[in-house]
Amino acid sequence: TKGNKTMLDTATLISNNELTKDKLIEVYLDYVNNFLTVSAFAQWHGLTERQANVVIKRGRELNNEKCCFKVS
């Protein structure tokens, strides 16, 4: 959440290739619940907008799989 930025040091996780599936879902849900724009999300997490879009897209896919949505 925005109040605990250090918990989601996304830029460091990306640079160290440590962004797990669970962390991607967590970061995606942070975006959904706490941000209105990709730009604000990217700035908060120290990402470029391109990186933010990739993280959001992959997190959405993983979250949808976890929640048992399968779109054919």
Side-chain angles (χ1 to χ4, degrees):
T1 62
K2 286 180 113 176
N4 193 357
K5 185 176 179 182
T6 57
M7 186 177 98
L8 296 173
D9 191 359
T10 310
T12 300
L13 292 172
I14 288 173
S15 67
N16 293 337
N17 291 320
E18 296 176 358
L19 204 53
T20 64
K21 288 181 180 182
D22 286 340
K23 186 58 77 172
L24 275 165
I25 292 170
E26 182 180 347
V27 172
Y28 164 69
L29 292 175
D30 179 51
Y31 166 70
V32 169
N33 292 315
N34 297 309
F35 294 91
L36 295 176
T37 66
V38 173
S39 178
F41 172 80
Q43 183 177 3
W44 183 260
H45 286 284
L47 303 172
T48 65
E49 285 192 40
R50 183 175 181 198
Q51 288 172 318
N53 277 310
V54 169
V55 167
I56 291 165
K57 180 181 179 209
R58 186 63 182 135
R60 180 183 306 117
E61 291 167 353
L62 292 169
N63 187 61
N64 287 347
E65 287 173 13
K66 187 175 180 179
C67 295
C68 302
F69 299 137
K70 289 279 181 169
V71 179
S72 302

